[in-house]
DNA sequence: TTGTAAGCGTTATCAA
DNA sequence: TTGATAACGCTTACAA
């Protein structure tokens, strides 16, 4: 079943395709009579312009690519929701790709988006594709980095300050529990995790605390890795009294781990970078670094829109400082 | 900065565009020498075929539209994750649109997807667009309904049985607490919510229980509405002992409501259609109808793929029966 | 105010 | 085994 084309409309309306186009795009002169008649026929035939053809001709797709590690992480979904709404208002649409923080999947995703001729890419990156990314920006497709910086690749960036709140968090834990604390880092190849980890180490160093090596774990930002870390940390006969977890999902996993081990959640105080939606419902000593996914989403959308309108704009960095909340 | 086209490649490789196309699509004869040389130039020039042009020429986009009410509901995200992976394996990609269960946003989303010339649409629908949907299927774009049926519109359907587990749930509550139970329904214009509500009423009728009118609420499947329902239900001086909640988010909201009111979560037994990821972590009497988002996702992907390969296939229904777990 | 026609980047038919 | 070229559906100079 063939789709209705602009030619069909032109034929039944008894005018040229140019006129149809002018009416629908509201550019160029066209008499009111003809306009009404065209609109009428368009409705009768249920004509929907072919966006593929339009994109080819105009050499613009109004598509923006979005690459994230994990679609089920509520943090990213909140980011995306506002992001998408903002872009939709300006008639842009999003194409999502998921990478599971895997560099080669990220490369595939990037190539796919380029072949789709998206006009910009918003990337919460796994890293490892610096060369490709440079080619992309050089060839004129703007990239906005979201949540994660990529060393060796300079681009617009929207992220959260990972130092300040982590230092505050660690200060708090050390002051309260001395050496009896543990740390669950994220995957250190990701900037966000690395920065948080550096802030952790800095604070430990300055405070002259001495933390057991086996109490400093490296997870991968996943729920499962937080759970394993918990098992490792709490295995000890006298376990730590406080723990810093570098993201929401690992914190979630840590609590699941406590449950596995039949340890009451409030036995250990947790400071988590990133909130858990259900934190009011659990009986736990939990302080969180409160992220602002909506702000991140909005800022990245704005930044992308600005960049699309002004290719030559200087590189922009938007850094949000999340607060530690008890 | 203009993109490299197939003409550029043809020119520098010293062959015709047809040959380039034949090499890249691996169809038609082409000598090994030429093949190697073309591949080489493609790599050197970093040529990426323009998917827009290809789609226009081939009259197929390999795009599948996906319409869901809420991107932040973990249930849908789990559905989508498997769905997307399955489709990606067959070289299809997904375009998401969010409707907030709003019919006119749904209509817009449908039109947008059609203008993008997606090859199929997977719809968790708000209803109210039957005529449009009929036009869509009649014109040859298959629609697979997901999670929610749409009365007056016949199409492939993947959903969960909403009667059996709800009857079981209500039976359980009534047997245990008699008339001292409350119900939080979803928005009754949505099939899923309506069916669950019908099953609730059926069971009440058969058991001759008498439930206070103000203890039967209608929410909108959102967290906030569950919270309000809680306030309404628990306002009473002697509140009910059990409650059935028609979806995960409202259950979440209900618990937040209890917290608002300073009522211990375990004071009231909840049976929820749809699990909460964090249910092991809270101190509550919670039984859940365990949905299988991954199965739903997989089944819809499979069904869509079958339909794309066999337009004339009979209408298919895939109904999963979720289990009540204590 | 309207129409004609070129061209966007591919693929596929046909001829060589 | 390869190349020339029409066509996909639209927009937009340019002409009328």
């Amino acid at each position: 079943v063939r789709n209705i084309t602009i030619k069909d409309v032109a034929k039944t309306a008894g005018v040229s395709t140019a006129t149809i186009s002018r009416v629908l795009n509201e550019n160029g002169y066209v008499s009111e009579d003809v306009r009404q008649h065209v609109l009428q026929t368009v409705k009768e035939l249920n004509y929907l312009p072919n966006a593929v053809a339009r994109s080819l001709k105009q050499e613009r797709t109004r598509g923006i690519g979005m690459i994230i590690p994990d679609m089920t992480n509520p943090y990213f979904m909140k980011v995306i929701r506002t992001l998408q709404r903002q872009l939709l208002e300006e008639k842009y649409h999003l194409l999502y790709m998921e990478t599971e923080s895997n560099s080669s999947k990220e490369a595939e995703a990037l190539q796919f988006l380029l072949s789709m001729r998206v006009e910009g890419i918003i990337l919460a990156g796994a890293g490892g594709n610096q060369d490709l990314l440079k080619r992309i920006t050089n060839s004129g497709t703007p990239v906005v980095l979201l949540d994660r910086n990529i060393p060796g690749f300079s681009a617009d960036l929207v992220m959260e300050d990972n130092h300040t709140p982590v230092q505050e968090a660690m200060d708090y834990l050390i002051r309260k529990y001395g050496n009896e604390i543990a740390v669950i880092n994220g995957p250190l190849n990701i900037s966000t995790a690395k920065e948080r980890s550096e802030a952790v180490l800095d604070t430990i160093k300055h405070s002259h605390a001495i933390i057991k090596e086996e109490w400093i774990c490296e997870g991968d930002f996943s729920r499962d890795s937080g759970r394993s870390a918990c098992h490792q940390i709490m295995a000890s006969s006298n376990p730590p009294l406080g723990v810093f977890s570098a993201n929401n999902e690992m914190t979630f996993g840590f609590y699941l781990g406590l449950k596995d081990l039949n340890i009451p959640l409030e036995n250990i105080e947790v400071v988590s970078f990133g909130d858990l939606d259900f934190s009011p419902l659990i009986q736990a000593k939990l302080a969180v670094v409160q992220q602002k996914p909506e702000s991140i989403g909005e800022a990245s959308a704005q930044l992308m829109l600005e960049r699309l309108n002004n290719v030559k704009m200087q590189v922009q960095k938007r850094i949000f400082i999340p607060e530690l909340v008890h």
Side-chain angles (χ1 to χ4, degrees), chain A residues 130-272:
Chain A
Q130 281 80 345
D131 289 350
L132 177 52
L133 286 168
K134 279 178 202 163
R135 276 218 314 275
I136 293 176
T137 47
N138 286 339
S139 77
T141 304
V143 172
V144 169
L145 298 177
L146 187 149
D147 186 62
R148 304 169 176 201
N149 199 355
I150 293 182
F153 170 67
S154 164
D156 294 327
L157 172 62
V158 178
M159 62 178 296
E160 283 162 318
D161 178 0
N162 292 305
H163 288 282
T164 320
V166 172
Q167 279 166 358
E168 197 184 337
M170 287 300 294
D171 251 350
Y172 167 78
L173 284 172
I174 293 172
R175 198 160 312 168
K176 195 153 171 194
Y177 301 114
N179 299 337
E180 308 302 303
I181 60 180
V183 173
I184 310 176
N185 283 312
L188 299 178
N189 57 322
I190 287 171
S191 75
T192 305
K194 185 156 187 214
E195 290 170 19
R196 292 174 197 169
S197 160
E198 284 166 357
V200 162
L201 294 177
D202 272 8
T203 323
I204 291 177
K205 199 169 172 192
H206 278 96
S207 67
H208 305 290
I210 297 160
I211 313 292
K212 284 194 199 168
E213 216 172 288
E214 67 269 31
W215 286 359
I216 298 191
C217 311
E218 180 179 341
D220 63 4
F221 274 167
S222 76
R223 206 174 288 179
D224 273 348
S225 74
R227 193 170 197 156
S228 313
C230 179
H231 290 183
Q232 174 177 336
I233 291 167
M234 306 304 284
S236 157
S237 59
N238 48 354
L241 305 171
V243 58
F244 171 77
S245 157
N247 89 333
N248 56 353
E249 285 290 301
M250 295 195 301
T251 306
F252 195 161
F254 182 83
Y255 278 124
L256 291 173
L258 289 179
K259 206 72 194 173
D260 294 340
L261 301 170
N262 262 312
I263 300 173
L265 307 190
E266 68 260 81
N267 269 25
I268 178 164
E269 176 158 7
V270 177
V271 182
S272 166

